[in-house]
Amino acid sequence: MKLLYNSYKTLLVVFFILLLVAAAFSLSLGTVRITAGDLIRLLAGYDDGTNRIILFSLRLPRVIQAAFVGAGLSVVGTFLQGLLRNPMADPYVLGVSSGAAFGATFAIISGLGTASVGLGSFLAALGTIYAVYMIAKSGSRVSMASMLLAGIAISAFMSSIISLMMLLHHDELSRIVFWTMGSFSLVTWRNVLFSAPLITAGCLVMFAYSRELNAIMTGEEIAEHLGVNTEAVKKVVLTAGALVTAAAVAVTGIIGFVGLIVPHICRLLVGPDNRILVPFAALAGAIFLILADTLARLILAPAEMPTGIITAAVGGPFFIYLLIRSKMKHEGS
């Protein structure tokens, strides 16, 4: 067992090194290329005029924001999949991201100010996840299939309301489109300072319940026999998940499928124990979104593609793959 945990630690270090490499790769590429040598000198404090402005004002906050959003959404996806015992659950599929985008959009068109965007996003995300939960709940049991279908339905409903608001408020069209397609193009240090503490706090709260989640994944009745207050765990995890999703959506818009793809792949790599899986999912999610955003910056350069298009292009086929695999599994049983 000691050797096993040492192997996990070694793999975790490898993931952390890959995160640094992905960040350096993203920082160096763009319309103005910054070489590895220049990057090291700039990070060491040497002033290089334009390159310094590009690095510290544009690319560095963007890369850090992508890392936090990727890590946060992956951790939320990990816990939703464990809580629902369904590999197809993630904040986007369950409608939490669309709910948060609705809250942010409503705050924008209401003229309540920039500070209200984050609060509106959080309240709408929280309301959405509880609405999905209550719709799917029958007596004391929650149907996993019903919860996914309820999430998809509410996501579509929220998207239709956002489209209506876009139609009625042409003057805010560009800002609303930004939230519906997901992008890091407007990220500043102020966004990072707002969202990073919230994402970190939410992830730490969820991680503190890793042991309880492991018990719930074996069945709620078994978990309760082991002394786990399953309803209390669900409320805390769903609230923390809504906080993380809202903090991410409030600054970048809807970035879908990160919480679906990354936990699934990490679970294949390190197994289902959430005490081990969550740190891997956080690092892998950060790497994935940094690379996706780098691709979004480069693929149509000098124009820029929303990062949400990249993640949807990968996540959509992956979701279909999971559906087909689930269907084949049921047919084979």
Side-chain angles (χ1 to χ4, degrees):
M1 183 62 74
K2 184 177 176 54
L3 180 62
L4 184 64
Y5 276 103
N6 283 339
S7 299
Y8 285 135
K9 289 177 182 175
T10 303
L11 192 57
L12 206 58
V13 172
V14 172
F15 268 56
F16 185 72
I17 293 172
L18 289 176
L19 173 61
L20 296 180
V21 171
F25 179 70
S26 182
L27 290 172
S28 65
L29 295 179
T31 307
V32 176
R33 181 159 188 169
I34 301 176
T35 64
D38 289 339
L39 186 60
I40 293 172
R41 281 193 291 274
L42 287 167
L43 292 174
Y46 288 95
D47 193 349
D48 191 17
T50 304
N51 281 354
R52 182 175 179 80
I53 295 173
I54 292 172
L55 179 66
F56 287 101
S57 299
L58 300 176
R59 294 185 189 172
L60 192 56
R62 185 169 181 154
V63 167
I64 292 174
Q65 185 70 77
F68 272 99
V69 171
L73 293 179
S74 297
V75 171
V76 175
T78 301
F79 273 84
L80 288 179
Q81 290 172 14
L83 206 59
L84 302 179
R85 282 172 285 164
N86 192 315
M88 287 179 282
D90 95 322
Y92 181 71
V93 175
L94 289 178
V96 186
S97 296
S98 296
F102 164 76
T105 303
F106 183 79
I108 291 170
I109 65 170
S110 300
L112 298 175
T114 305
S116 68
V117 173
L119 179 61
S121 181
F122 171 66
L123 292 177
L126 191 62
T128 301
I129 191 64
Y130 276 102
V132 169
Y133 182 80
M134 294 309 295
I135 290 171
K137 190 174 182 180
S138 176
S140 61
R141 299 181 66 83
V142 177
S143 165
M144 304 308 153
S146 296
M147 195 157 181
L148 279 176
L149 291 174
I152 292 170
I154 287 187
S155 179
F157 179 67
M158 290 294 181
S159 296
S160 70
I161 295 179
I162 293 172
S163 297
L164 179 62
M165 288 192 286
M166 290 167 64
L167 190 65
L168 296 176
H169 297 82
H170 292 284
D171 52 331
E172 298 287 358
L173 187 61
S174 61
R175 294 183 67 191
I176 298 174
V177 167
F178 166 79
W179 258 277
T180 59
M181 301 184 74
S183 173
F184 291 89
S185 61
L186 300 179
V187 165
T188 64
W189 283 113
R190 186 176 179 182
N191 298 132
V192 176
L193 293 175
F194 162 76
S195 61
L198 296 177
I199 291 173
T200 303
C203 289
L204 289 176
V205 168
M206 285 187 281
F207 183 66
Y209 285 88
S210 296
R211 189 183 298 275
E212 286 79 0
L213 184 62
N214 284 345
I216 291 175
M217 288 170 64
T218 64
E220 291 191 24
E221 290 185 1
I222 297 175
E224 288 171 358
H225 281 302
L226 294 173
V228 176
N229 185 339
T230 57
E231 289 303 315
V233 172
K234 287 177 188 175
K235 289 176 182 175
V236 172
V237 168
L238 290 177
T239 302
L243 174 66
V244 172
T245 305
V249 172
V251 294
T252 65
I254 299 176
I255 305 285
F257 295 109
V258 178
L260 173 74
I261 301 169
V262 175
H264 191 79
I265 294 174
C266 289
R267 196 174 289 111
L268 293 175
L269 188 64
V270 300
D273 186 342
N274 292 286
R275 294 169 299 176
I276 297 171
L277 174 60
V278 170
F280 279 97
L283 287 173
I287 295 168
F288 174 75
L289 206 47
I290 286 174
L291 294 179
D293 182 52
T294 305
L295 187 61
R297 282 196 289 121
L298 297 178
I299 199 166
L300 293 179
E304 187 171 313
M305 179 186 292
T307 311
I309 293 178
I310 301 291
T311 59
V314 178
F318 193 81
F319 188 75
I320 293 171
Y321 155 73
L322 290 177
L323 282 174
I324 293 174
R325 202 183 71 155
S326 177
K327 177 185 172 185
M328 292 176 66
K329 188 176 178 180
H330 281 294
E331 289 177 349
S333 61

